[in-house]
Amino acid sequence: MGANDEDQPAPRGLSRRRLIELGGGFAVGAAVGGAAAAGAASRSHGDGGRDGAVVPFDGPGEQAGITTDRPSQLAMAALDLSDDLSGTFGRTELAALMRDWSTAARALMRGASLPGGLGPSSGLGAPADTGESVGLEPAGLTITFGFGPGLFEASRGLMPAGQRPERFEPLPRFRGDELQDEWCGGDLMVAAAADDAQVAVHAIHTLARVARGAARLRWLQRGFIPAAPKGEAPRNLLGFQDGQSQLDHRDPAAASRLLWAGDDAPAWLRGGGTFLVVRRIRLQLEPWDTATLEHQEATIGRTRKAGVFLPATGVGGSAYEGEAAGSTSPGARGSHATVARDAAFATGQILRRPYSYADGILPGTGQVDAGLIFLAYQRSVPGQFVPMQTRLAEHDALGDYATAIGSAVFAIAPASRHARDWVGGVLLD
């Protein structure tokens, strides 16, 4: 580990949950993988482009990993809460987990060794830290925690009714979706991003281990951003520069209107809270690879080499009838750039943080299992992403080559304020 071993808060005594050995475990999935105002408050997240960069975990405003520069490697997991031996899991146990996670993340993002007293291993004599990142720098590591809609179900009794954000529920199934349960949902989410894949994986490994006995892994995804020539956007696995339309989170007015939870949100989300959409999108690379360059460029709506936007037309030369802002009438399928532009104009831009993935081959076909881990932050999922994706599902020609197989949504609380605080404290204290 790095040498930044600052004092940590004194570890709490062993909780009842941490003495219960329920198993769970951790498995690596895929084989490969600036700062803005949060309401009136802002904080610097550091430089994610150098191996020794340290991004602060605590601070006013949003959690790290939302408006920081994207590191090149992503490891991301969703977990479901477990029942303890009495068959219950309450707010006290969830609060204990979030305290432990915050303590662990604070150390991980500094490159420090994990303090003792966290998770079941603390009572079993195992080392406090799993050790696979010993000697490595923090690599700009960011860790972001989120809460799924299931935590707010009345039948579970975890949250008072007034704490549930309005219309906070799983995403609907959109046209063309082929969702698989193993890539959907989750009670809790943790995203670790760094410029070193080992550092990001170590963070998920560690946090899953700390949670053992309280929560079990539901899904785990690994993603990467390829290197790009200076001044150019990275290319996705279709060969095109990815995502040139983006919410400018540095504009306080735009961020307040489109990114950060507002006064209509529960108190625990205000001052840097937001909502995250996660979509695992499989790309059909084999048919794409056999298409002409002219067809590919018409489908994307930009030239492949320079990324220059093409005239807004339907693919195949037909008129794109959904072009007018706010139009939902069915019509010819237009280029991805055109439809996405019109959808953003009608519903409001979102903050996109996508990563590519390549994960072996599809059973029975021999085709490459590859695509996009689409991450997007916004103030209102039903007001922004849902109508935007509805329009894309109806009109976007790229849908012929891209299929969503995973879908989840999470509420992202503001950051912990200091080393004695913890993410979700306002919600669970």
Side-chain angles (χ1 to χ4, degrees), residues 336-354:
H336 177 70
T338 299
V339 180
R341 179 206 65 193
D342 293 344
F345 182 84
T347 64
Q349 288 181 310
I350 54 181
L351 182 62
R352 305 166 65 259
R353 293 176 65 92

Side-chain angles (χ1 to χ4, degrees), residues 143-300:
I143 295 175
T144 313
F145 297 121
F147 300 106
L151 293 183
F152 298 86
E153 292 176 0
S155 61
R156 302 180 78 169
L158 283 169
M159 306 292 178
Q163 300 285 32
R164 182 171 192 145
E166 185 177 0
R167 298 170 67 192
F168 181 43
E169 55 194 23
L171 291 171
R173 184 181 291 268
F174 299 98
R175 176 182 175 180
D177 284 2
E178 297 181 8
L179 301 180
Q180 301 171 3
D181 287 344
E182 60 264 35
W183 297 115
C184 294
D187 289 335
L188 298 170
M189 181 281 303
V190 55
D195 284 322
D196 185 318
Q198 183 92 335
V199 170
V201 168
H202 173 245
I204 296 296
H205 182 182
T206 296
L207 293 167
R209 180 192 187 198
V210 169
R212 199 175 301 165
R216 60 189 180 278
L217 284 168
R218 181 182 180 91
W219 50 255
L220 171 64
Q221 305 188 56
R222 290 276 316 283
F224 61 93
I225 301 174
K230 187 175 182 180
E232 295 187 14
R235 294 182 182 272
N236 56 35
L237 297 180
L238 298 177
F240 284 74
Q241 293 176 347
D242 190 50
Q244 297 190 10
S245 178
Q246 182 72 293
L247 169 64
D248 184 1
H249 61 79
R250 296 164 297 182
D251 179 349
S256 177
R257 183 169 59 90
L258 296 171
L259 179 57
W260 307 120
D263 292 340
D264 56 337
W268 63 272
L269 272 171
R270 298 174 199 164
T274 186
F275 293 92
L276 171 64
V277 165
V278 183
R279 300 272 284 177
R280 186 176 178 91
I281 301 171
R282 178 175 289 157
L283 296 175
Q284 281 75 55
L285 294 182
E286 281 74 9
W288 178 262
D289 293 341
T290 64
T292 66
L293 179 59
E294 181 182 18
H295 176 81
Q296 291 181 357
E297 291 183 334
T299 299
I300 298 296

